[in-house]
Amino acid sequence: MLNGAAVVDERGFSFIELIVVIVILGILAVFALPRFNLSSFQQAGFFQQALAAIRHGQKLAVASGCDVDVSITPTSCTLAWSGSPAGCPSTAIDNTASASANFCQGGTAAGSPSASITFDNIGRPDAQKTINFGSRTLRVEAETGFTHEL
C-alpha cells in the first residue's frame, strides 16, 4: 500500500521543456546560419572537379590512342577529342554521370581560371600549365602530365 500518495508517471519531457529547447535552437539558427558560407564549399568542389577532369582527359588520351583537349573556364570544364592522329574523332566528350559536356557542374570557380591543355596519345600535355583558382593553384607538369595542387 502507498498510504494515500499518488503515483506520478515521469516519462518524456514536459511542454515547457520542449518550448525552451525550440527557443534555444531558434536563437542558435539566427546567429549560426549567416556564418555558414556555401561559396567556399562550391569553390573547393570546382577545384577538385577541375583536377579530376584534367586527369580524366589524360587517361582517355592514353586509353584511346587519340589526342584529348581539356578546357577550363570559370564556369566549366570540358573535354573533346582533337581529331589527331588520323582516324580519331573530333567531337566533344560527354560526362556520363551528368549527360552533359561540363565536367565541373554544381560549383563556381574562385578567381578566373582559364586554361586549354591538349594531351597526346601517350598522355603528355602540350606544355606545362599553371592554373590559378583564387588562393589555390593547380599545375600540369610538362612531359609527364602529372596534375597536382601547388
Side-chain angles (χ1 to χ4, degrees):
M1 254 213 172
L2 291 176
N3 298 334
V7 176
V8 178
D9 187 16
E10 293 194 22
R11 278 189 276 163
F13 298 102
S14 72
F15 184 69
I16 298 296
E17 290 170 327
L18 291 174
I19 295 298
V20 168
V21 168
I22 290 171
V23 167
I24 291 172
L25 288 175
I27 291 170
L28 287 174
V30 166
F31 291 105
L33 285 180
R35 294 174 189 245
F36 190 67
N37 185 1
L38 288 180
S39 67
S40 63
F41 290 107
Q42 291 172 335
Q43 291 170 358
F46 190 92
F47 178 84
Q48 293 297 325
Q49 288 175 341
L51 184 67
I54 293 169
R55 289 176 177 165
H56 182 62
Q58 182 186 29
K59 289 177 184 178
L60 282 176
V62 172
S64 67
C66 297
D67 294 359
V68 173
D69 295 326
V70 180
S71 176
I72 308 292
T73 68
T75 58
S76 69
C77 306
T78 57
L79 279 65
W81 302 110
S82 69
S84 73
C88 290
S90 59
T91 58
I93 300 170
D94 284 340
N95 182 352
T96 55
S98 65
S100 78
N102 188 0
F103 283 76
C104 295
Q105 291 182 334
T108 54
S112 298
S114 181
S116 182
I117 305 159
T118 299
F119 289 103
D120 66 11
N121 57 359
I122 59 171
R124 289 181 304 194
D126 51 351
Q128 177 175 299
K129 303 285 180 169
T130 301
I131 310 167
N132 293 315
F133 293 81
S135 63
R136 299 176 83 176
T137 303
L138 182 146
R139 175 170 290 159
V140 180
E141 299 292 345
E143 293 301 317
T144 62
F146 177 62
T147 307
H148 60 97
E149 183 175 3
L150 292 178

